[in-house]
Amino acid sequence: MGFIQRYQDGEYLSRTQDWHEGDAAWKAARVREILDAAGLAPRRVADAGCGTGGVLVQLQATMPPGVELTGFEVAEPAFRVAAARANAGLRFVHGGVEEHRGEPFDVLLAMDVFEHVPDYLGFLELLRPVARRFVFHVPLDLSIKSLLTGLPMHRRRSVGHLHYFDADTARATLEDCGYRVLDARFTHAVMQPPPATWKQRVRRLPDRLLYAARPALCARVLGGCSLLVLAEPDEVPALSPA
């Protein structure tokens, strides 16, 4: 209970400064890329664990009028920030998306979410009926470098990761929980805007070079990667009658 409380009492917001708002535009762009590659033009999009709502705000700016976007957030500090950003096509719900019992969403996002959930397998199983397609972004905390440097424990203390994955176990987790993987691709922090100083750029050079040539090898050896997945449940929820 103490671990979960950090999201409610402001500790997590204090640790992250902005609840990862600075990554919102970058994450939204990756979501658009994988949806566009699949030829998907969803009319109803949800975000599970939407934080301060930044990803949905960024998505709304790139989507046609009439698309309905709904963010679900259980942490009160983040929800308060998100709720202030609501508009005619964008709403926020203080609660878990797994409790949604209405018409399934066309697409549900879970961007850097289930590694924080104590019962992540149960959580993923509860999500299946909620949408017809899913976009997951899963941090890959397990690499040769990360194990040598103790990164998993750092992530546990700093950003609350309870579970740690490589590409194979992330994909197997989704498949074991009843999802079919339609597309999977690596992302890396080096895809984001470049570091401000030349020293930071030099330190990132090996990652940039290996990621550009062999992203899977970069994820396994140097780390710093996440897995972006487009998936559908084994039993896709039926469309409602027109």
Side-chain angles (χ1 to χ4, degrees):
M1 185 64 182
F3 187 90
I4 300 302
Q5 188 62 29
R6 71 168 61 182
Y7 300 105
Q8 303 291 354
D9 63 11
E11 178 188 347
Y12 191 77
L13 182 59
S14 175
R15 282 180 178 271
T16 60
Q17 300 300 312
D18 64 353
W19 212 286
H20 310 293
E21 177 76 19
D23 298 332
W26 180 83
K27 287 181 179 179
R30 305 289 79 76
V31 170
R32 285 307 307 263
E33 285 175 2
I34 202 165
L35 293 180
D36 291 348
L40 297 177
R43 304 299 297 175
R44 297 176 67 246
V45 178
D47 187 356
C50 68
T52 57
V55 172
L56 290 182
V57 170
Q58 296 291 333
L59 278 177
Q60 187 179 48
T62 69
M63 288 183 158
V67 175
E68 298 177 9
L69 301 109
T70 305
F72 293 83
E73 179 54 57
V74 298
E76 176 68 26
F79 173 75
R80 286 199 302 267
V81 176
R85 310 170 87 171
N87 57 50
L90 174 60
R91 72 184 186 102
F92 295 96
V93 176
H94 188 204
V97 68
E98 67 275 12
E99 300 172 5
H100 175 74
R101 296 294 181 267
E103 175 73 11
F105 294 99
D106 297 323
V107 171
L108 174 69
L109 314 179
M111 308 293 287
D112 299 69
V113 171
F114 67 76
E115 67 276 6
H116 295 269
V117 179
D119 179 13
Y120 71 107
L121 299 176
F123 173 72
L124 287 170
E125 290 177 352
L126 288 173
L127 287 187
R128 281 203 317 267
V130 174
R132 301 182 182 94
R133 300 289 186 276
F134 295 79
V135 177
F136 297 99
H137 193 249
V138 188
L140 304 179
D141 289 331
L142 297 182
S143 69
I144 293 174
K145 181 180 177 181
S146 76
L147 293 175
L148 291 174
T149 59
L151 178 67
M153 282 306 299
H154 172 71
R155 290 283 174 85
R156 189 181 190 91
R157 297 188 186 103
S158 61
V159 292
H161 290 188
L162 293 176
H163 314 287
Y164 314 101
F165 302 94
D166 64 11
D168 293 335
T169 59
R171 182 167 182 148
T173 292
L174 294 172
E175 291 172 345
D176 290 344
C177 289
Y179 295 87
R180 282 192 292 267
V181 174
L182 306 176
D183 188 1
R185 52 186 70 186
F186 292 98
T187 67
H188 196 295
V190 299
M191 298 170 65
Q192 296 174 270
T197 70
W198 69 268
K199 288 184 179 180
Q200 291 172 328
R201 289 194 290 271
V202 169
R203 283 199 298 267
R204 282 196 182 183
L205 185 59
D207 301 74
R208 284 184 174 276
L209 294 175
L210 185 57
Y211 180 75
R214 300 279 300 277
L217 184 61
C218 182
R220 189 173 296 276
V221 176
L222 296 181
C225 295
S226 296
L227 195 68
L228 183 69
V229 179
L230 176 67
E232 65 181 7
D234 284 341
E235 295 183 8
V236 180
L239 291 169
S240 61

